[in-house]
């Protein structure tokens, strides 16, 4: 073999080795990112998770179109993890906690499962379900503060990741004052799950109060963090002293 041919062969081999190493490196980092994402959402390839949807106001079975958009955003996250979403109506969900991952969407006034989750998982946080007075409808109370909606201008949503029960699979709560806030929470989770996993860990719990700014103009896209209320929301309020 002359020197020129040897150089060509060595060059081809070097290119092949370099390309293989590059492909293996990219595959390694891709698998690592996938494992981290699966751990955060409590999903594994081929597993199933629960999407619990609320009802449209004035309808027993209908779902608000904006909540459907939230479902689609969450479904994309789930499918990226190689899992399958199972959509169930709020009043037909009979699943325990921790057995499979769960995403529960909507406030307690339209989602019975959310109404059960709040006192069970977040005893320090309440959402008003009464229609009157109008200005208090959907009001969130936590850590001694109240957050009333100014419809279309400032609206609030609770985004939480919690673990409870056997199996350790997380429950994600997207509990908003309006359908647009539920979608805003889903979009925030999709955009920032890496940062949330980095801050709280792949198995950590958090309860975030978010504000959706001027949804009339910006829809679900402009979201601000109001407060991390993890400790306060998960701590039951002290019992009032008995009257003497």
């Amino acid at each position: 073999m002359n020197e020129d041919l040897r150089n060509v062969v060595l060059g081809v081999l070097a290119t092949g080795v370099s390309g293989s190493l590059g492909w293996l490196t990219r595959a390694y980092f891709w698998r690592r990112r996938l494992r981290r994402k699966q751990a955060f959402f409590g999903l594994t390839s081929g597993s199933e998770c629960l999407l619990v949807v609320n009802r449209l106001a004035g309808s027993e079975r209908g779902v608000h179109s904006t909540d459907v958009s939230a479902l689609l955003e969450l479904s994309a996250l789930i499918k990226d993890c190689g899992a399958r979403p199972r959509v169930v109506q709020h009043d037909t969900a009979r699943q325990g906690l921790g057995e499979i991952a769960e995403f529960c969407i909507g406030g307690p006034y339209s989602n019975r499962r959310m109404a059960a989750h709040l006192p069970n998982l977040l005893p320090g946080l309440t959402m008003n379900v009464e229609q009157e007075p109008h200005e208090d409808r959907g009001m969130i109370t936590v850590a001694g503060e109240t957050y009333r909606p100014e419809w279309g201008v400032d609206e609030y949503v609770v985004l939480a990741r919690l673990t409870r029960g056997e199996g350790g699979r997380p429950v994600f709560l997207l509990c908003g004052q309006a359908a647009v806030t539920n979608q805003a929470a889903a979009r925030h989770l999709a955009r920032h799950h890496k940062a949330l996993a980095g801050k709280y860990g792949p198995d950590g719990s958090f309860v975030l109060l978010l504000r959706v700014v001027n949804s009339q103009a910006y829809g679900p896209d402009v979201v601000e963090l109001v407060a991390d209320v993890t400790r306060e929301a998960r701590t039951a309020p002290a019992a009032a002293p008995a009257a003497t």
Side-chain angles (χ1 to χ4, degrees):
M1 179 182 296
N2 62 42
E3 186 175 351
D4 290 340
L5 182 57
R6 183 172 60 251
N7 289 338
V8 170
V9 172
L10 290 175
V12 171
L13 289 174
T15 301
V17 170
S18 176
S20 297
L21 287 175
W23 181 85
L24 289 172
T25 300
R26 289 192 297 272
Y28 168 77
F29 284 110
W30 178 83
R31 284 195 297 268
R32 189 172 71 167
R33 288 193 297 269
L34 176 61
R35 286 194 297 269
R36 288 178 175 176
K37 188 173 184 178
Q38 288 176 329
F40 178 75
F41 288 112
L43 301 169
T44 56
S45 297
S47 64
E48 186 178 66
C49 76
L50 210 60
L51 280 175
V52 183
V53 298
N54 59 347
R55 63 174 173 80
L56 177 66
S59 171
E60 286 301 317
R61 311 304 298 176
V63 180
H64 196 288
S65 59
T66 307
D67 286 327
V68 172
S69 298
L71 287 175
L72 292 174
E73 300 208 29
L74 294 174
S75 295
L77 281 177
I78 294 163
K79 290 185 178 180
D80 284 346
C81 293
R84 303 184 308 276
R86 175 159 59 94
V87 180
V88 297
Q89 285 278 346
H90 67 103
D91 53 349
T92 62
R94 299 291 186 270
Q95 188 77 42
L97 296 173
E99 298 174 26
I100 63 174
E102 175 184 340
F103 298 82
C104 192
I105 302 169
Y109 41 82
S110 61
N111 187 321
R112 293 181 189 173
R113 191 164 173 88
M114 183 69 76
H117 282 332
L118 289 185
N120 186 30
L121 301 175
L122 302 179
L125 182 148
T126 61
M127 178 179 277
N128 181 39
V129 298
E130 302 298 330
Q131 293 296 314
E132 298 295 338
H134 179 74
E135 59 271 16
D136 289 345
R137 183 160 53 100
M139 178 179 67
I140 296 171
T141 302
V142 62
E145 300 288 339
T146 57
Y147 300 89
R148 293 177 173 85
E150 186 176 350
W151 305 109
V153 179
D154 279 323
E155 296 149 310
Y156 298 89
V157 58
V158 174
L159 173 62
R161 181 192 191 276
L162 305 160
T163 54
R164 184 82 174 267
E166 297 182 3
R169 301 294 184 185
V171 177
F172 288 88
L173 304 183
L174 295 81
C175 180
Q177 294 173 330
V180 69
T181 62
N182 299 330
Q183 185 183 6
R187 188 162 295 180
H188 186 84
L189 183 62
R191 288 176 174 174
H192 301 289
H193 64 85
K194 292 180 183 177
L196 293 170
K199 181 174 182 179
Y200 298 100
D203 300 318
S205 294
F206 59 80
V207 185
L208 306 179
L209 182 65
L210 307 175
R211 176 170 55 237
V212 182
V213 179
N214 200 347
S215 62
Q216 291 183 116
Y218 305 129
D221 284 327
V222 181
V223 177
E224 297 177 351
L225 175 64
V226 177
D228 180 334
V229 294
T230 306
R231 181 177 60 83
E232 296 86 350
R234 299 181 72 192
T235 303
T244 58

